[in-house]
Amino acid sequence: MNNLNFDALNFIYQQIKEEINLILTAKNREDLNLYIDDTQLTQLNDSYAVITTGPTGKIILDKDDVKNIINAAIKKVLKKDIVCKIVATTKDDYADNINGELISDLNDNLMSEFTFDNFVVGPSNKQARMAAYACAVSPGQSFNPLIIYGNSGLGKTHLLNAIGNYIKNHDKEKKILCVSSMKFVNDVVKAINNNTIEDYKSKLNSVDVLLVDDIQILSGKRKSEEIFFNI
């Protein structure tokens, strides 16, 4: 599990968060959900998971009873005994440490294991799979833009990456970028703080295929929405 990129960590942590919420509800500890929502998984290996939060969040979450809940959720999702480490960080530190350079090399961030060939089709996702495949075969012509909506666990992230992997394998000239909305927002914040927002927009505009996971996270973030809808 070493060397996971931002989007892979975010994908895993969303599942862990859902399990944490279930445990908190069962224990009547919903008061902790606000602090859990403000955390990020920044490092993961076979021994420990580094979870970052603000200074207040560390005080609340860095307690044995809370960490036991988080550890139980991690074990439920990953089927391994992995210990969480709660680390306090500022927003600026988070942007610098996690995002790194602003897509300087246009790394596509695709998860290669997600393809159309190994996608499990069922009644709940059949139409979405057909639309995604059409989008991949004729990018920019079929379903542009394509928005996939559905409950957790139905394959939205799988299809998103499958589109990118199909295009990548069939057209080596296409520039592809797959990014989570959270990373997009963080990159926008970093670019604004560094006065490089125009460079960031130029890099986004140079991409042929932009794939964004968890698009609902952009809601209410006005500057990020403005930049996204003007790409």
Side-chain angles (χ1 to χ4, degrees):
M1 278 187 287
N2 293 319
N3 300 319
L4 295 174
N5 63 25
F6 180 95
D7 292 313
L9 288 171
N10 188 56
F11 176 70
I12 292 170
Y13 196 46
Q14 289 305 314
Q15 298 176 65
I16 293 173
K17 276 185 174 180
E18 290 176 8
E19 191 61 35
I20 292 173
N21 289 336
L22 290 175
I23 298 174
L24 291 177
T25 299
K27 292 180 175 290
N28 293 319
R29 295 296 308 273
E30 291 96 333
D31 56 299
L32 293 176
N33 280 329
L34 178 64
Y35 299 99
I36 293 295
D37 287 343
D38 196 36
T39 61
Q40 290 292 328
L41 177 64
T42 58
Q43 187 177 347
L44 179 64
N45 58 41
D46 290 330
S47 301
Y48 60 85
V50 176
I51 295 174
T52 58
T53 184
T56 301
K58 177 174 171 58
I59 294 172
I60 300 297
L61 301 177
D62 199 15
K63 298 177 180 177
D64 288 343
D65 61 331
V66 179
K67 289 192 291 186
N68 286 340
I69 291 173
I70 297 173
N71 291 339
I74 293 173
K75 183 174 183 178
K76 179 75 172 180
V77 173
L78 299 179
K79 314 300 183 187
K80 292 183 178 181
D81 288 312
I82 295 176
V83 177
C84 70
K85 296 182 178 181
I86 309 298
V87 177
T89 182
T90 66
K91 290 184 178 179
D92 288 340
D93 288 339
Y94 177 75
D96 289 339
N97 293 335
I98 304 306
N99 293 323
E101 296 300 319
L102 289 175
I103 323 177
S104 57
D105 58 355
L106 285 177
N107 176 18
D108 57 45
N109 295 323
L110 290 167
M111 289 184 270
S112 59
E113 65 270 26
F114 290 152
T115 68
F116 288 115
D117 290 337
N118 61 20
F119 183 74
V120 179
V121 180
S124 61
N125 58 30
K126 181 179 179 180
Q127 294 297 322
R129 196 272 185 194
M130 292 173 61
Y133 185 75
C135 184
V137 172
S138 302
Q141 299 178 38
S142 299
F143 303 102
N144 186 25
L146 172 66
I147 300 174
I148 301 176
Y149 172 83
N151 292 329
S152 177
L154 295 181
K156 298 186 297 297
T157 297
H158 189 135
L159 286 177
L160 190 76
N161 282 271
I163 292 171
N165 286 318
Y166 182 95
I167 296 172
K168 181 179 181 178
N169 292 332
H170 288 78
D171 190 343
K172 303 298 184 183
E173 299 300 316
K174 284 282 192 294
K175 294 180 181 179
I176 305 166
L177 176 63
C178 183
V179 63
S180 68
S181 290
M182 184 63 72
K183 187 176 190 305
F184 180 85
V185 170
N186 288 332
D187 283 347
V188 169
V189 171
K190 182 177 180 181
I192 291 173
N193 290 339
N194 292 341
N195 295 317
T196 57
I197 193 64
E198 293 304 319
D199 291 338
Y200 181 59
K201 289 193 289 186
S202 294
K203 288 172 183 176
L204 288 177
N205 283 318
S206 72
V207 173
D208 296 306
V209 181
L210 178 61
L211 305 165
V212 183
D213 203 6
D214 291 325
I215 192 70
Q216 73 278 0
I217 291 175
L218 290 185
S219 178
K221 297 174 174 60
R222 294 178 59 185
K223 189 61 180 179
S224 297
E225 285 182 334
E226 175 188 337
I227 292 172
F228 180 79
F229 288 111
N230 283 280
I231 296 174

PDB file of all heavy atoms in Angstrom, residues 102-124:
ATOM      1  N   LEU A 102       1.749  21.806  -8.847  1.00  0.00           N
ATOM      2  CA  LEU A 102       0.428  21.915  -9.466  1.00  0.00           C
ATOM      3  C   LEU A 102       0.415  21.254 -10.837  1.00  0.00           C
ATOM      4  O   LEU A 102       0.572  21.889 -11.863  1.00  0.00           O
ATOM      5  CB  LEU A 102       0.033  23.398  -9.607  1.00  0.00           C
ATOM      6  CG  LEU A 102      -0.289  24.108  -8.301  1.00  0.00           C
ATOM      7  CD1 LEU A 102      -0.543  25.588  -8.578  1.00  0.00           C
ATOM      8  CD2 LEU A 102      -1.503  23.490  -7.645  1.00  0.00           C
ATOM      9  N   ILE A 103       0.263  19.934 -10.825  1.00  0.00           N
ATOM     10  CA  ILE A 103       0.139  19.169 -12.070  1.00  0.00           C
ATOM     11  C   ILE A 103       1.244  19.541 -13.054  1.00  0.00           C
ATOM     12  O   ILE A 103       1.010  19.673 -14.257  1.00  0.00           O
ATOM     13  CB  ILE A 103      -1.241  19.408 -12.735  1.00  0.00           C
ATOM     14  CG1 ILE A 103      -2.347  19.532 -11.701  1.00  0.00           C
ATOM     15  CG2 ILE A 103      -1.603  18.246 -13.641  1.00  0.00           C
ATOM     16  CD1 ILE A 103      -3.692  19.836 -12.316  1.00  0.00           C
ATOM     17  N   SER A 104       2.447  19.749 -12.537  1.00  0.00           N
ATOM     18  CA  SER A 104       3.535  20.232 -13.389  1.00  0.00           C
ATOM     19  C   SER A 104       3.831  19.281 -14.537  1.00  0.00           C
ATOM     20  O   SER A 104       4.182  19.702 -15.640  1.00  0.00           O
ATOM     21  CB  SER A 104       4.798  20.444 -12.557  1.00  0.00           C
ATOM     22  OG  SER A 104       5.174  19.260 -11.893  1.00  0.00           O
ATOM     23  N   ASP A 105       3.709  17.987 -14.291  1.00  0.00           N
ATOM     24  CA  ASP A 105       4.006  17.014 -15.339  1.00  0.00           C
ATOM     25  C   ASP A 105       2.750  16.366 -15.900  1.00  0.00           C
ATOM     26  O   ASP A 105       2.821  15.432 -16.683  1.00  0.00           O
ATOM     27  CB  ASP A 105       4.941  15.930 -14.804  1.00  0.00           C
ATOM     28  CG  ASP A 105       4.355  15.206 -13.597  1.00  0.00           C
ATOM     29  OD1 ASP A 105       3.274  15.609 -13.134  1.00  0.00           O
ATOM     30  OD2 ASP A 105       4.980  14.233 -13.138  1.00  0.00           O
ATOM     31  N   LEU A 106       1.589  16.882 -15.500  1.00  0.00           N
ATOM     32  CA  LEU A 106       0.314  16.362 -15.984  1.00  0.00           C
ATOM     33  C   LEU A 106       0.196  14.853 -15.790  1.00  0.00           C
ATOM     34  O   LEU A 106      -0.261  14.132 -16.661  1.00  0.00           O
ATOM     35  CB  LEU A 106       0.107  16.737 -17.452  1.00  0.00           C
ATOM     36  CG  LEU A 106      -0.259  18.199 -17.695  1.00  0.00           C
ATOM     37  CD1 LEU A 106      -0.374  18.474 -19.184  1.00  0.00           C
ATOM     38  CD2 LEU A 106      -1.543  18.585 -16.998  1.00  0.00           C
ATOM     39  N   ASN A 107       0.628  14.385 -14.634  1.00  0.00           N
ATOM     40  CA  ASN A 107       0.426  12.983 -14.280  1.00  0.00           C
ATOM     41  C   ASN A 107      -1.076  12.710 -14.276  1.00  0.00           C
ATOM     42  O   ASN A 107      -1.841  13.425 -13.637  1.00  0.00           O
ATOM     43  CB  ASN A 107       1.029  12.718 -12.899  1.00  0.00           C
ATOM     44  CG  ASN A 107       0.788  11.309 -12.420  1.00  0.00           C
ATOM     45  OD1 ASN A 107       0.478  10.426 -13.209  1.00  0.00           O
ATOM     46  ND2 ASN A 107       0.936  11.103 -11.130  1.00  0.00           N
ATOM     47  N   ASP A 108      -1.523  11.664 -14.981  1.00  0.00           N
ATOM     48  CA  ASP A 108      -2.965  11.468 -15.144  1.00  0.00           C
ATOM     49  C   ASP A 108      -3.669  11.012 -13.862  1.00  0.00           C
ATOM     50  O   ASP A 108      -4.889  11.130 -13.740  1.00  0.00           O
ATOM     51  CB  ASP A 108      -3.258  10.484 -16.284  1.00  0.00           C
ATOM     52  CG  ASP A 108      -2.584   9.128 -16.102  1.00  0.00           C
ATOM     53  OD1 ASP A 108      -2.634   8.594 -14.977  1.00  0.00           O
ATOM     54  OD2 ASP A 108      -2.021   8.618 -17.080  1.00  0.00           O
ATOM     55  N   ASN A 109      -2.926  10.469 -12.880  1.00  0.00           N
ATOM     56  CA  ASN A 109      -3.496  10.028 -11.593  1.00  0.00           C
ATOM     57  C   ASN A 109      -4.507   8.895 -11.724  1.00  0.00           C
ATOM     58  O   ASN A 109      -5.267   8.629 -10.778  1.00  0.00           O
ATOM     59  CB  ASN A 109      -4.176  11.198 -10.855  1.00  0.00           C
ATOM     60  CG  ASN A 109      -3.185  12.271 -10.458  1.00  0.00           C
ATOM     61  OD1 ASN A 109      -2.066  11.988 -10.087  1.00  0.00           O
ATOM     62  ND2 ASN A 109      -3.614  13.533 -10.553  1.00  0.00           N
ATOM     63  N   LEU A 110      -4.548   8.225 -12.851  1.00  0.00           N
ATOM     64  CA  LEU A 110      -5.513   7.151 -13.046  1.00  0.00           C
ATOM     65  C   LEU A 110      -5.145   5.918 -12.229  1.00  0.00           C
ATOM     66  O   LEU A 110      -3.960   5.609 -12.044  1.00  0.00           O
ATOM     67  CB  LEU A 110      -5.592   6.766 -14.522  1.00  0.00           C
ATOM     68  CG  LEU A 110      -6.230   7.794 -15.455  1.00  0.00           C
ATOM     69  CD1 LEU A 110      -5.947   7.420 -16.905  1.00  0.00           C
ATOM     70  CD2 LEU A 110      -7.726   7.887 -15.210  1.00  0.00           C
ATOM     71  N   MET A 111      -6.170   5.218 -11.748  1.00  0.00           N
ATOM     72  CA  MET A 111      -5.964   3.935 -11.081  1.00  0.00           C
ATOM     73  C   MET A 111      -6.120   2.850 -12.144  1.00  0.00           C
ATOM     74  O   MET A 111      -7.236   2.552 -12.586  1.00  0.00           O
ATOM     75  CB  MET A 111      -6.966   3.772  -9.936  1.00  0.00           C
ATOM     76  CG  MET A 111      -6.674   4.696  -8.765  1.00  0.00           C
ATOM     77  SD  MET A 111      -7.777   4.453  -7.339  1.00  0.00           S
ATOM     78  CE  MET A 111      -9.084   5.609  -7.735  1.00  0.00           C
ATOM     79  N   SER A 112      -4.992   2.282 -12.554  1.00  0.00           N
ATOM     80  CA  SER A 112      -4.963   1.390 -13.717  1.00  0.00           C
ATOM     81  C   SER A 112      -5.783   0.114 -13.531  1.00  0.00           C
ATOM     82  O   SER A 112      -6.163  -0.528 -14.508  1.00  0.00           O
ATOM     83  CB  SER A 112      -3.518   1.026 -14.064  1.00  0.00           C
ATOM     84  OG  SER A 112      -2.887   0.382 -12.968  1.00  0.00           O
ATOM     85  N   GLU A 113      -6.055  -0.236 -12.270  1.00  0.00           N
ATOM     86  CA  GLU A 113      -6.803  -1.487 -12.036  1.00  0.00           C
ATOM     87  C   GLU A 113      -8.288  -1.357 -12.368  1.00  0.00           C
ATOM     88  O   GLU A 113      -9.001  -2.362 -12.453  1.00  0.00           O
ATOM     89  CB  GLU A 113      -6.643  -1.935 -10.574  1.00  0.00           C
ATOM     90  CG  GLU A 113      -7.250  -0.994  -9.541  1.00  0.00           C
ATOM     91  CD  GLU A 113      -6.279   0.065  -9.046  1.00  0.00           C
ATOM     92  OE1 GLU A 113      -5.340   0.396  -9.797  1.00  0.00           O
ATOM     93  OE2 GLU A 113      -6.474   0.562  -7.926  1.00  0.00           O
ATOM     94  N   PHE A 114      -8.776  -0.138 -12.556  1.00  0.00           N
ATOM     95  CA  PHE A 114     -10.191   0.076 -12.865  1.00  0.00           C
ATOM     96  C   PHE A 114     -10.386   0.191 -14.372  1.00  0.00           C
ATOM     97  O   PHE A 114     -10.014   1.198 -14.991  1.00  0.00           O
ATOM     98  CB  PHE A 114     -10.716   1.337 -12.177  1.00  0.00           C
ATOM     99  CG  PHE A 114     -10.837   1.213 -10.670  1.00  0.00           C
ATOM    100  CD1 PHE A 114     -10.719   2.328  -9.860  1.00  0.00           C
ATOM    101  CD2 PHE A 114     -11.073  -0.006 -10.075  1.00  0.00           C
ATOM    102  CE1 PHE A 114     -10.838   2.222  -8.482  1.00  0.00           C
ATOM    103  CE2 PHE A 114     -11.197  -0.136  -8.703  1.00  0.00           C
ATOM    104  CZ  PHE A 114     -11.078   0.984  -7.907  1.00  0.00           C
ATOM    105  N   THR A 115     -10.972  -0.851 -14.982  1.00  0.00           N
ATOM    106  CA  THR A 115     -11.213  -0.865 -16.429  1.00  0.00           C
ATOM    107  C   THR A 115     -12.651  -1.292 -16.700  1.00  0.00           C
ATOM    108  O   THR A 115     -13.361  -1.769 -15.808  1.00  0.00           O
ATOM    109  CB  THR A 115     -10.256  -1.848 -17.130  1.00  0.00           C
ATOM    110  OG1 THR A 115     -10.591  -3.190 -16.735  1.00  0.00           O
ATOM    111  CG2 THR A 115      -8.806  -1.552 -16.776  1.00  0.00           C
ATOM    112  N   PHE A 116     -13.067  -1.146 -17.951  1.00  0.00           N
ATOM    113  CA  PHE A 116     -14.398  -1.620 -18.334  1.00  0.00           C
ATOM    114  C   PHE A 116     -14.469  -3.147 -18.275  1.00  0.00           C
ATOM    115  O   PHE A 116     -15.517  -3.718 -17.983  1.00  0.00           O
ATOM    116  CB  PHE A 116     -14.758  -1.137 -19.737  1.00  0.00           C
ATOM    117  CG  PHE A 116     -15.058   0.330 -19.822  1.00  0.00           C
ATOM    118  CD1 PHE A 116     -14.255   1.184 -20.558  1.00  0.00           C
ATOM    119  CD2 PHE A 116     -16.160   0.873 -19.155  1.00  0.00           C
ATOM    120  CE1 PHE A 116     -14.533   2.539 -20.638  1.00  0.00           C
ATOM    121  CE2 PHE A 116     -16.444   2.224 -19.224  1.00  0.00           C
ATOM    122  CZ  PHE A 116     -15.630   3.064 -19.963  1.00  0.00           C
ATOM    123  N   ASP A 117     -13.342  -3.796 -18.559  1.00  0.00           N
ATOM    124  CA  ASP A 117     -13.333  -5.257 -18.609  1.00  0.00           C
ATOM    125  C   ASP A 117     -13.643  -5.892 -17.259  1.00  0.00           C
ATOM    126  O   ASP A 117     -14.258  -6.965 -17.201  1.00  0.00           O
ATOM    127  CB  ASP A 117     -11.976  -5.761 -19.111  1.00  0.00           C
ATOM    128  CG  ASP A 117     -11.762  -5.453 -20.581  1.00  0.00           C
ATOM    129  OD1 ASP A 117     -12.764  -5.267 -21.300  1.00  0.00           O
ATOM    130  OD2 ASP A 117     -10.587  -5.379 -21.011  1.00  0.00           O
ATOM    131  N   ASN A 118     -13.201  -5.267 -16.161  1.00  0.00           N
ATOM    132  CA  ASN A 118     -13.439  -5.882 -14.851  1.00  0.00           C
ATOM    133  C   ASN A 118     -14.529  -5.164 -14.059  1.00  0.00           C
ATOM    134  O   ASN A 118     -14.674  -5.376 -12.859  1.00  0.00           O
ATOM    135  CB  ASN A 118     -12.142  -5.955 -14.033  1.00  0.00           C
ATOM    136  CG  ASN A 118     -11.530  -4.583 -13.751  1.00  0.00           C
ATOM    137  OD1 ASN A 118     -12.194  -3.556 -13.822  1.00  0.00           O
ATOM    138  ND2 ASN A 118     -10.242  -4.574 -13.421  1.00  0.00           N
ATOM    139  N   PHE A 119     -15.307  -4.322 -14.739  1.00  0.00           N
ATOM    140  CA  PHE A 119     -16.427  -3.651 -14.084  1.00  0.00           C
ATOM    141  C   PHE A 119     -17.612  -4.617 -13.976  1.00  0.00           C
ATOM    142  O   PHE A 119     -18.009  -5.241 -14.962  1.00  0.00           O
ATOM    143  CB  PHE A 119     -16.847  -2.415 -14.878  1.00  0.00           C
ATOM    144  CG  PHE A 119     -17.956  -1.625 -14.242  1.00  0.00           C
ATOM    145  CD1 PHE A 119     -17.725  -0.831 -13.131  1.00  0.00           C
ATOM    146  CD2 PHE A 119     -19.247  -1.680 -14.753  1.00  0.00           C
ATOM    147  CE1 PHE A 119     -18.744  -0.104 -12.533  1.00  0.00           C
ATOM    148  CE2 PHE A 119     -20.272  -0.953 -14.173  1.00  0.00           C
ATOM    149  CZ  PHE A 119     -20.017  -0.161 -13.060  1.00  0.00           C
ATOM    150  N   VAL A 120     -18.151  -4.757 -12.785  1.00  0.00           N
ATOM    151  CA  VAL A 120     -19.278  -5.669 -12.556  1.00  0.00           C
ATOM    152  C   VAL A 120     -20.586  -4.943 -12.876  1.00  0.00           C
ATOM    153  O   VAL A 120     -20.980  -4.002 -12.184  1.00  0.00           O
ATOM    154  CB  VAL A 120     -19.301  -6.172 -11.100  1.00  0.00           C
ATOM    155  CG1 VAL A 120     -20.495  -7.105 -10.891  1.00  0.00           C
ATOM    156  CG2 VAL A 120     -17.993  -6.883 -10.760  1.00  0.00           C
ATOM    157  N   VAL A 121     -21.244  -5.373 -13.928  1.00  0.00           N
ATOM    158  CA  VAL A 121     -22.473  -4.718 -14.392  1.00  0.00           C
ATOM    159  C   VAL A 121     -23.694  -5.320 -13.701  1.00  0.00           C
ATOM    160  O   VAL A 121     -23.812  -6.538 -13.560  1.00  0.00           O
ATOM    161  CB  VAL A 121     -22.622  -4.858 -15.925  1.00  0.00           C
ATOM    162  CG1 VAL A 121     -23.903  -4.166 -16.394  1.00  0.00           C
ATOM    163  CG2 VAL A 121     -21.414  -4.273 -16.634  1.00  0.00           C
ATOM    164  N   GLY A 122     -24.577  -4.447 -13.251  1.00  0.00           N
ATOM    165  CA  GLY A 122     -25.824  -4.871 -12.626  1.00  0.00           C
ATOM    166  C   GLY A 122     -26.945  -3.925 -13.005  1.00  0.00           C
ATOM    167  O   GLY A 122     -26.724  -2.928 -13.702  1.00  0.00           O
ATOM    168  N   PRO A 123     -28.164  -4.206 -12.563  1.00  0.00           N
ATOM    169  CA  PRO A 123     -29.321  -3.349 -12.904  1.00  0.00           C
ATOM    170  C   PRO A 123     -29.133  -1.899 -12.483  1.00  0.00           C
ATOM    171  O   PRO A 123     -29.650  -0.990 -13.136  1.00  0.00           O
ATOM    172  CB  PRO A 123     -30.476  -4.003 -12.130  1.00  0.00           C
ATOM    173  CG  PRO A 123     -30.046  -5.415 -11.921  1.00  0.00           C
ATOM    174  CD  PRO A 123     -28.566  -5.366 -11.734  1.00  0.00           C
ATOM    175  N   SER A 124     -28.381  -1.668 -11.403  1.00  0.00           N
ATOM    176  CA  SER A 124     -28.244  -0.308 -10.876  1.00  0.00           C
ATOM    177  C   SER A 124     -27.218   0.525 -11.621  1.00  0.00           C
ATOM    178  O   SER A 124     -27.195   1.751 -11.482  1.00  0.00           O
ATOM    179  CB  SER A 124     -27.849  -0.365  -9.394  1.00  0.00           C
ATOM    180  OG  SER A 124     -26.598  -1.026  -9.243  1.00  0.00           O
TER     181      SER A 124
END
